[in-house]
Amino acid sequence: MIQYRGIYKAFDIPVLTGIDLTVETGEMFALFGPSGTGKSVLLKTTLGLITPDRGDVEVDGISIFHGQKGALEAVRRKCGYVFQYAALFDSLNVYDNVVMGLPEQELARMSRAEIARKIWDAIEIVNLDPHEVIAKTPAELSGGMKKRVGIARAIVGRPEILLWDEPTTGLDPINTTAIERLIHRLSEELEVTSLLVTHDIEGGLEMCDRVGMLEGGLLRFIGTPEEFRSCPDPVVRAFVDRQAAEAALDMMSGTR
């Protein structure tokens, strides 16, 4: 469903130095790595939000950067993107934030009642009560609720692909677990292809079919969760052990 071919990207320094990766149709793939290794940069190339210096991305056979006119628009209609920190519009209420996830062509074809039903359903799917939240602004929502509204916006158009950019960043351990369970459930119920960028190794390993690790601009590891846990590569082991220690400290902090 998604193919990254020789992706190179530098800002002041090289970030991605030749990424080749295939995410299969219906698969849930997690991408790990230390901060600053280009995980989110790679994710954003999928929708043309960042243009690589070299290489291409193909989504369902459509080239993002070398395709025909209208290719990027066609791909964006297939995808839902969950931004880090939810990225809601502060001046809009929940209804208007979620409606932003519907393609303009679809909005033009639907009646106001049909649009409202789609918004209502998307909010319910992410375990929020539409009666309670639909007229609220982001400032009136908790961190976990904002994340759920951001997810509702991503799924309201019923995409074939969901791209998750650090969806649990800034959440406490309890809300992190709740959002990860929601991600897993939605990926199965909506029968989508999911690519998840995350710092939370254990959460990603629990829900994903395959995982990869970015380090030094390259993919250091690709395989199953079981293979990742037992990987003898010292760089992978150091990353896993450090994340486990940080998770334990977070859990201890949450119980105080």
Side-chain angles (χ1 to χ4, degrees):
M1 180 61 81
I2 309 172
Q3 289 190 309
Y4 301 91
R5 301 181 184 275
I7 300 295
Y8 286 78
K9 185 64 184 179
F11 295 98
D12 292 333
I13 59 172
V15 177
L16 303 174
T17 56
I19 301 297
D20 293 292
L21 173 65
T22 298
V23 180
E24 302 292 347
T25 301
E27 182 177 38
M28 190 165 192
F29 191 100
L31 191 60
F32 303 136
S35 297
T37 52
K39 302 184 300 297
S40 293
V41 172
L42 184 65
L43 195 70
K44 287 173 180 172
T45 65
T46 318
L47 295 181
L49 300 176
I50 288 178
T51 301
D53 300 326
R54 280 192 283 161
D56 193 20
V57 183
E58 289 187 5
V59 176
D60 200 15
I62 301 172
S63 169
I64 299 295
F65 301 105
H66 305 297
Q68 298 178 348
K69 183 179 179 180
L72 182 56
E73 183 180 343
V75 167
R76 287 178 175 175
R77 287 198 297 268
K78 292 176 177 285
C79 298
Y81 197 106
V82 179
F83 290 89
Q84 192 174 10
Y85 299 110
L88 302 180
F89 294 94
D90 292 337
S91 60
L92 302 180
N93 63 22
V94 167
Y95 181 97
D96 290 330
N97 266 287
V98 176
V99 82
M100 297 290 287
L102 288 170
E104 290 185 10
Q105 300 91 332
E106 191 171 344
L107 283 170
R109 294 195 302 266
M110 292 189 297
S111 68
R112 291 180 65 181
E114 289 171 328
I115 295 170
R117 172 46 58 190
K118 279 186 172 287
I119 304 303
W120 196 272
D121 289 346
I123 293 171
E124 284 190 324
I125 287 173
V126 299
N127 297 333
L128 289 174
D129 182 353
H131 290 101
E132 178 185 344
V133 304
I134 205 162
K136 289 185 175 180
T137 62
E140 299 174 281
L141 304 176
S142 68
M145 294 169 78
K146 290 177 185 177
K147 296 279 188 179
R148 291 174 187 271
V149 173
I151 295 170
R153 180 179 59 193
I155 68 172
V156 67
R158 293 305 173 101
E160 299 173 38
I161 299 167
L162 283 173
L163 305 172
W164 308 83
D165 189 359
E166 299 283 6
T168 60
T169 294
L171 296 180
D172 59 65
I174 293 175
N175 271 312
T176 292
T177 299
I179 292 298
E180 286 172 346
R181 287 175 177 171
L182 177 61
I183 291 169
H184 192 207
R185 177 173 66 81
L186 290 176
S187 293
E188 290 189 338
E189 289 183 1
L190 301 179
E191 299 181 341
V192 295
T193 302
S194 282
L195 177 55
L196 171 70
V197 163
T198 181
H199 282 98
D200 184 10
I201 287 181
E202 280 309 311
L205 292 175
E206 286 296 322
M207 70 176 107
C208 289
D209 302 302
R210 285 192 306 145
V211 301
M213 178 179 162
L214 270 176
E215 195 272 335
L218 294 169
L219 276 166
R220 186 89 185 196
F221 174 90
I222 300 177
T224 66
E226 293 75 20
E227 291 167 340
F228 188 76
R229 286 190 175 99
S230 61
C231 181
D233 184 325
V235 174
V236 175
R237 289 257 46 88
F239 180 69
V240 172
D241 292 343
R242 184 173 70 250
Q243 293 296 308
E246 290 176 355
L249 288 173
D250 288 342
M251 189 63 69
M252 290 170 62
S253 299
T255 58
R256 290 174 184 170

